Amino acid sequence: MADPRVSLRQPIVAALLAFLLPGLGHWYQGRRFKAVIFSVGILLLFGWGQVLGEGQTTYSRLVLRAGPDSPQFSEVAPVSKSSFGYWAQVLIGMPALPALLQEGRFNADDDSVGFLDTEIRSDFVGALIETTRQGDLRTPVTGTLQIVPSRPEGSRTVEGTITLDGAGGAVSYQLGGEVRLGRRVFGSPRRGIECRLVDDKGDFQSARIEGTIQRSFWNWYMAPMDTAELDRLHGSLSRQYDVAAVLTWIAGLLNLMVIWDAALGPAYGYGDERSSEAEGDGGGAGGPAPVPGKSAV
């Protein structure tokens, strides 16, 4: 029962504010000490989980691989399923709500898969693939990449260069032709790219690059991710990623109790006691007299 000695103001408003940000509902009610404790404790727990998980512990949808090609290269939204962990994380309110915004952006058709509208400069990690009579020869490479659309307004064909690191020094190649880019919004800091190598005359060579470049923070943070990205995280972070995810779940579930406290007040039990007169009338069987102010067991 709510404690009448604590002013809850508008409990529904307080509960909504507590959902939006831990402690905000208590601050609205004038319960400032609790507001600070709840806010600092829960937000630190959630933030710690985000840091340990390299910012990838919170996402609303998990993308399913429907074929041999990466879901990153799908122009329409790939098939996905709900992330059960997010049901707990979303209870923390605003810190987890960007995942819903990213889900909306992710579900929109993405023409950036085969279309470039602005220059890209990034590091590159992937493979140089040379086509030979015996088949494709893949050589792992790293370097820097720079491409621009063939037309100022954007196009499906590009021009540019890639400089690959090597034991004998950096080697540069010309890039051209059609480009394949991973979806603009996807839950991975790395964006897939495929492009052909060309010679000085612009003719295609029997080689291409396949790999990844950087994706902007705004386009990957809390966005839906696929199982391949989860595998990468588990491979690089091991159990640390699981611990990080659990911390964010706990933070959300703890805020559920904060919302309850903002709506109904502290669970002190005040107001549930029987009056001393009623206890005196009904308890004359030799039992000890009740102590005023204490609830019956």
Side-chain angles (χ1 to χ4, degrees):
M1 183 174 180
D3 183 356
R5 297 175 298 178
V6 177
S7 174
L8 301 180
R9 297 187 68 177
Q10 296 294 328
I12 295 179
V13 174
L16 178 60
L17 292 175
F19 163 72
L20 292 176
L21 192 69
L24 189 59
H26 290 76
W27 191 272
Y28 159 77
Q29 292 172 332
R31 302 158 71 187
R32 303 297 167 83
F33 180 75
K34 269 194 171 183
V36 173
I37 294 297
F38 289 152
S39 181
V40 172
I42 293 177
L43 291 179
L44 277 179
L45 189 63
F46 183 82
W48 187 22
Q50 288 290 87
V51 170
L52 287 179
E54 296 184 349
Q56 293 185 259
T57 54
T58 304
Y59 53 92
S60 62
R61 308 290 298 180
L62 181 63
V63 181
L64 305 178
R65 185 180 291 270
D69 206 3
S70 169
Q72 284 207 41
F73 292 112
S74 173
E75 294 188 16
V76 298
V79 177
S80 62
K81 67 177 182 179
S82 178
S83 168
F84 296 113
Y86 186 69
W87 296 0
Q89 294 165 334
V90 74
L91 293 172
I92 202 172
M94 287 192 296
L97 292 183
L100 298 179
L101 175 62
Q102 294 289 57
E103 180 184 338
R105 297 179 66 211
F106 171 83
N107 286 333
D109 290 348
D110 193 345
D111 60 1
S112 69
V113 171
F115 187 86
L116 183 65
D117 58 2
T118 186
E119 179 184 13
I120 291 180
R121 293 177 181 267
S122 173
D123 65 291
F124 173 84
V125 178
L128 176 65
I129 304 174
E130 300 177 78
T131 301
T132 66
R133 292 181 179 179
Q134 291 75 31
D136 288 344
L137 176 63
R138 302 178 66 94
T139 305
V141 294
T142 59
T144 56
L145 173 145
Q146 180 266 329
I147 55 175
V148 295
S150 299
R151 296 190 299 271
E153 66 274 15
S155 69
R156 292 184 176 272
T157 58
V158 299
E159 300 171 352
T161 60
I162 184 168
T163 302
L164 301 179
D165 305 325
V171 181
S172 295
Y173 298 94
Q174 298 293 320
L175 300 174
E178 292 188 357
V179 65
R180 292 188 75 199
L181 289 169
R183 292 176 62 86
R184 194 187 310 276
V185 179
F186 201 83
S188 171
R190 307 293 299 182
R191 186 180 186 184
I193 185 171
E194 298 177 8
C195 193
R196 294 284 298 275
L197 268 62
V198 298
D199 58 22
D200 294 337
K201 297 180 180 180
D203 296 329
F204 291 119
Q205 299 186 27
S206 59
R208 66 185 187 275
I209 58 167
E210 291 183 5
T212 61
I213 57 177
Q214 291 181 352
R215 179 183 273 111
S216 66
F217 176 82
W218 168 243
N219 286 333
W220 69 259
Y221 183 65
M222 291 196 184
M225 68 167 68
D226 65 349
T227 52
E229 184 65 13
L230 274 180
D231 290 342
R232 184 193 69 81
L233 287 166
H234 280 104
S236 62
L237 300 179
S238 188
R239 294 181 180 177
Q240 178 177 317
Y241 183 79
D242 294 325
V243 172
V246 170
L247 289 178
T248 60
W249 302 343
I250 293 174
L253 294 174
L254 284 176
N255 200 45
L256 180 61
M257 293 189 289
V258 174
I259 296 170
W260 182 276
D261 187 84
L264 299 179
Y268 291 156
Y270 293 118
D272 293 332
E273 306 90 335
R274 297 166 59 190
S275 65
S276 58
E277 292 81 2
E279 290 183 358
D281 293 340
V291 179
K294 291 188 178 180
S295 58
V297 178

